[in-house]
């Protein structure tokens, strides 16, 4: 585990969807307050079925999202995962494993609470961005289901 040091890469952080709309001052403050972790290839960052209270933003690298042994998708630099645990307080719906050396920004419930108390506008933007990300993923899942054919619920 490490805390980020030095100047943040604001041009990169501005491109991260869950941080969209935040100004340079807010991004810099967030960069100084949030933990960054490194993980080697093959490391498990999230385990399906376990409780979690943080989401991760990929600063570098590639991870696989897996459920029941099947790879659901691959995420790359700039993507996030684990955001559902900040919303529904349910067990993790999938595992996430590092495919390469990765660096992740870890945003936990405590971090969001601190942001809420310090800067309600920043908190609101992050919460809306998380909701947008969840909505985007739901639309993608719906499109994949529709591509499989019209469901026939309850009909043999």
């Amino acid at each position: 585990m490490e805390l980020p040091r030095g100047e943040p890469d604001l041009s990169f952080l501005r491109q991260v969807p869950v941080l969209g709309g935040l100004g340079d001052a807010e991004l810099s403050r967030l960069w100084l307050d949030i933990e960054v972790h490194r993980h080697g290839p093959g490391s498990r960052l999230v385990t399906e079925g376990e409780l979690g209270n943080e989401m991760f933003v990929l600063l570098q690298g590639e991870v696989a999202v897996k459920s029941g042994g099947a790879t659901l998708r691959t995420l790359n630099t700039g993507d996030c995962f684990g955001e559902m645990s900040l919303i529904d307080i349910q067990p993790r719906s999938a595992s996430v494993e590092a495919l390469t050396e990765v660096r992740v920004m870890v945003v936990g419930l405590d971090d969001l609470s601190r942001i809420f108390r310090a800067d309600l506008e920043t908190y609101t933007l992050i919460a809306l961005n998380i909701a947008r990300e969840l909505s985007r993923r739901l639309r993608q899942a719906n499109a994949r289901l529709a591509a499989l054919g019209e469901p026939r619920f309850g009909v043999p």
Side-chain angles (χ1 to χ4, degrees):
M1 176 173 55
E2 67 180 81
L3 287 174
R5 301 287 183 239
E7 293 298 314
D9 182 351
L10 294 176
S11 62
F12 169 77
L13 293 176
R14 279 188 219 106
Q15 302 304 311
V16 174
V18 295
L19 304 178
L22 297 181
D24 289 354
E26 291 81 13
L27 290 170
S28 294
R29 190 168 41 254
L30 184 68
W31 179 254
L32 293 174
D33 290 341
I34 299 294
E35 288 185 0
V36 171
H37 296 188
R38 290 181 188 271
H39 299 274
S43 297
R44 181 169 285 181
L45 286 76
V46 168
T47 301
E48 185 174 4
E50 289 186 354
L51 288 176
N53 65 354
E54 68 273 326
M55 73 171 203
F56 304 84
V57 176
L58 272 167
L59 300 175
Q60 169 192 340
E62 184 177 51
V63 298
V65 179
K66 298 181 175 188
S67 182
T71 298
L72 303 176
R73 67 183 303 170
T74 301
L75 300 174
N76 299 291
T77 300
D79 289 330
C80 72
F81 57 92
E83 66 283 347
M84 288 170 52
S85 72
L86 296 176
I87 305 297
D88 65 6
I89 311 170
Q90 296 292 314
R92 300 270 191 197
S93 63
S95 294
V96 178
E97 295 178 6
L99 296 174
T100 65
E101 181 80 22
V102 297
R103 288 180 59 228
V104 290
M105 178 186 268
V106 182
V107 181
L109 285 175
D110 290 342
D111 299 311
L112 288 178
S113 292
R114 188 174 53 251
I115 293 167
F116 176 80
R117 289 188 305 275
D119 185 348
L120 189 55
E121 185 176 340
T122 296
Y123 172 84
T124 302
L125 281 170
I126 292 172
L128 282 172
N129 289 335
I130 290 170
R132 289 179 182 119
E133 181 66 18
L134 291 171
S135 178
R136 183 182 67 78
R137 290 185 184 172
L138 179 59
R139 288 178 187 276
Q140 288 173 344
N142 286 345
R144 284 193 296 264
L145 287 173
L148 294 174
E150 186 174 327
R152 297 174 52 184
F153 298 107
V155 179

